[in-house]
Amino acid sequence: MYQGGQTEVVAIDVAQVGSANWNFMSRNHGAVWDTSRVPNGALQLRFVVTSGFDGKWIWAKSVLPAEWKTGVIYDSGVQITDIAKEGCSPCDDSHWR
């Protein structure tokens, strides 16, 4: 069982798939993030996840389709509990997810 500090997403960036031009997003409320600079087309996301003292960039396994819609929930494929285990030496299985 992980017993370190709280695991949290502290930053999210968005970019058009295949682009290196990342735009930061701002936390609106809880797990809701937004940006006024949304690229066109299919989108990729990356997250900074912290656990204890460490933070890591995590790239989403899934992307938002080119025809994404505002207000629709999309699954990023990122499992925060897996990330938390990596900073916990008794429970880290050494496999990056």
Side-chain angles (χ1 to χ4, degrees):
M1 175 187 289
Y2 174 70
Q3 296 181 355
Q6 180 179 358
T7 301
E8 181 179 9
V9 175
V10 295
I12 300 178
D13 290 347
V14 61
Q16 186 175 19
V17 171
S19 172
N21 297 322
W22 291 93
N23 294 316
F24 72 91
M25 299 181 75
S26 299
R27 188 184 303 260
N28 186 326
H29 176 75
V32 178
W33 294 75
D34 60 26
T35 183
S36 60
R37 301 176 302 190
V38 180
N40 294 323
L43 302 178
Q44 57 190 352
L45 299 170
R46 66 183 183 183
F47 308 83
V48 174
V49 179
T50 61
S51 178
F53 298 106
D54 296 327
K56 293 185 179 187
W57 278 105
I58 308 299
W59 277 257
K61 298 174 187 173
S62 301
V63 297
L64 278 70
E67 55 281 337
W68 63 269
K69 304 283 185 225
T70 301
V72 175
I73 297 171
Y74 296 92
D75 184 357
S76 69
V78 174
Q79 294 296 313
I80 301 301
T81 54
D82 292 343
I83 304 308
K85 289 179 185 176
E86 293 180 8
C88 171
S89 59
C91 45
D92 183 1
D93 62 9
S94 300
H95 294 289
W96 180 245
R97 292 166 177 59

